[in-house]
Amino acid sequence: MDNPRVLVVDDEPNIRDLVEVALRFHGFAVVTAATGAEALRRVHDDRPGLIVLDIMLPDLDGFEVCRRLRGDGDETPIIFLTARDTPSDTVTGLTLGGDDYVTKPFAVDALIARVRAVLRRARPRGSADEVLRVGDLEVDISHWTVRRAGAEIELSPTEFRLLTFFMRNPGRVLTRAQLLENVWGWDHSAGSPVVETYISYLRRKLGPDLIHTQRGVGYALRPPA
């Protein structure tokens, strides 16, 4: 569907109602929850296509909700919506498997744009049967699988998107700004170490010999000589 169902989770009724009305105005179906426990039930019962998730909830905080969903294998895109805007909170949310991070107060139009951007990125572009190969590394777009030398490697959705972007640009040095914009949809996060964090995750899972650092410029995916 062009506009899948969105779950809005916030314990402040005025914020919850504002986001719900804005999303409905733009054609989205919306369900809501006021607590972390209710959010988990809603995800199970309503199968939303995206979650707008407050962090400061009265029972389970948003980070814990995200942690439990990802631990259960649920890859529903998540946008954290919160007044907590420190770099460490941002990195925590994204490291747990969040897809974006919007701070309060926020512009409603900007939030809607983020929702649409995250939904566009929810699956990599390409034909359903597209397979990308660089050296002995293979990414199967339709099945969301990654193999190196025939061995399957499990990646999170964000790791998969980051690797796919590298695979579409083999040998090219990609700047930090390019990675933020194309993988996370950000153009305003110069101080966030999220790129470096996820590069380290990929190196740990794929091996240290594929993603190379060009000091002061960016990163490039190149197979070993």
Side-chain angles (χ1 to χ4, degrees), residues 195-211:
V195 170
E196 291 77 6
T197 300
Y198 273 88
I199 292 291
S200 71
Y201 292 163
L202 285 182
R203 284 172 169 159
R204 191 178 310 149
K205 293 184 177 183
L206 303 175
D209 56 344
L210 286 172
I211 300 178

Side-chain angles (χ1 to χ4, degrees), residues 165-199:
F165 188 62
F166 274 118
M167 295 285 282
R168 294 189 188 282
N169 297 275
R172 179 183 173 191
V173 178
L174 301 170
T175 67
R176 196 171 174 282
Q178 287 173 315
L179 295 172
L180 280 170
E181 180 179 356
N182 286 277
V183 178
W184 285 271
W186 294 3
D187 58 6
H188 61 283
S189 304
S192 170
V194 68
V195 170
E196 291 77 6
T197 300
Y198 273 88
I199 292 291

